[in-house]
Amino acid sequence: GNSVTQMEGPVTLSEEAFLTINCTYTATGYPSLFWYVQYPGEGLQLLLKATKADDKGSNKGFEATYRKETTSFHLEKGSVQVSDSAVYFCALPGITAGGTSYGKLTFGQGTILTVHP
Amino acid sequence: GAGVSQTPSNKVTEKGKYVELRCDPISGHTALYWYRQSLGQGPEFLIYFQGTGAADDSGLPNDRFFAVRPEGSVSTLKIQRTERGDSAVYLCASSLGGPLSGANVLTFGAGSRLTVL
């Protein structure tokens, strides 16, 4: 089945630093890939997604490119802010016995990001 | 409603007791998912409903766990004879579209935190 491996955290940065959180996946075919974020005291929410190879998802200054050659979907941001402090999860959908992608998500273990002023 | 609503937000119970957790999805979302998130981990899939039927219950850990969605909207996760290891945050999510759309974005509720003493 589909699986995802996420870099182990936590990550601590100063404001305006560059951020990379690594995510690699194993999948049948080319499913959509997602980054979800969980801010302190809030529910899990979609940060960005890419639906096919070479797509770049972007939101709130974050970007991730779907790279089939390296089976990766690394999350990047050029200049982090204190408000970006959160837990970040890489995720991909499940796969049916017939090889069709569907909405059941498999998540990485999460990376805790702390940004200091 | 505007978002996915989960009740209760917190539940403390004693070992051996029965617990029900409720999820009210976004109106019109036909797919509903239950996940469990333990401290420091990513969400783990429990069960997925498409309409009223459980399309995939492969994540339920044992027969103490059961979920229903009798009218294709509200869902209840039921846990019998609770154990301390059941302590976690139980997340509900819903999404648009049919069951075979891996590009669908899941909208999550804030979760129900269960503590078994």
Side-chain angles (χ1 to χ4, degrees):
Chain A
N2 293 353
S3 65
V4 61
T5 301
Q6 194 173 333
M7 70 179 288
E8 296 181 11
V11 175
T12 302
L13 296 172
S14 297
E15 207 164 26
E16 300 183 3
F18 182 85
L19 168 71
T20 299
I21 301 177
N22 290 338
C23 171
T24 57
Y25 66 89
T26 301
T28 302
Y30 301 106
S32 296
L33 299 174
F34 303 85
W35 277 98
Y36 279 79
V37 60
Q38 196 166 35
Y39 296 104
E42 298 185 19
L44 204 59
Q45 57 187 274
L46 178 72
L47 178 60
L48 55 84
K49 73 173 189 179
T51 57
K52 60 183 187 295
D54 300 325
D55 259 5
K56 177 184 286 188
S58 61
N59 185 28
K60 299 182 180 182
F62 290 88
E63 293 183 338
T65 301
Y66 189 154
R67 301 207 183 277
K68 63 179 181 180
E69 303 85 2
T70 53
T71 61
S72 65
F73 193 54
H74 304 325
L75 182 68
E76 297 182 335
K77 187 173 184 179
S79 177
V80 294
Q81 305 301 310
V82 172
S83 57
D84 294 327
S85 298
V87 185
Y88 294 82
F89 296 93
C90 187
L92 79 169
I95 198 84
T96 66
T100 305
S101 176
Y102 76 110
K104 163 189 168 184
L105 292 177
T106 295
F107 288 87
Q109 74 270 31
T111 300
I112 301 172
L113 171 65
T114 303
V115 181
H116 293 298
Chain B
V4 178
S5 176
Q6 291 189 246
T7 55
S9 55
N10 275 287
K11 176 70 176 178
V12 180
T13 191
E14 294 179 344
K15 179 175 179 295
K17 299 291 187 183
Y18 170 81
V19 166
E20 288 190 353
L21 306 175
R22 175 189 167 105
C23 173
D24 199 344
I26 291 174
S27 179
H29 278 191
T30 58
L32 185 146
Y33 304 81
W34 283 99
Y35 286 81
R36 177 168 70 175
Q37 187 175 19
S38 300
L39 193 64
Q41 300 295 317
E44 294 178 310
F45 170 79
L46 295 176
I47 186 169
Y48 153 58
F49 287 90
Q50 179 58 39
T52 60
D56 183 348
D57 64 358
S58 60
L60 294 177
N62 51 59
D63 61 6
R64 295 187 297 106
F65 288 74
F66 189 71
V68 296
R69 195 186 185 198
E71 297 178 358
S73 179
V74 171
S75 176
T76 304
L77 178 66
K78 308 181 181 193
I79 310 174
Q80 298 178 320
R81 305 182 304 279
T82 52
E83 299 178 357
R84 292 194 180 89
D86 298 336
S87 296
V89 177
Y90 289 82
L91 300 173
C92 177
S94 68
S95 70
L96 274 171
L100 299 180
S101 180
N104 282 351
V105 173
L106 271 59
T107 301
F108 283 83
S112 293
R113 181 177 299 277
L114 174 65
T115 303
V116 182
L117 301 177

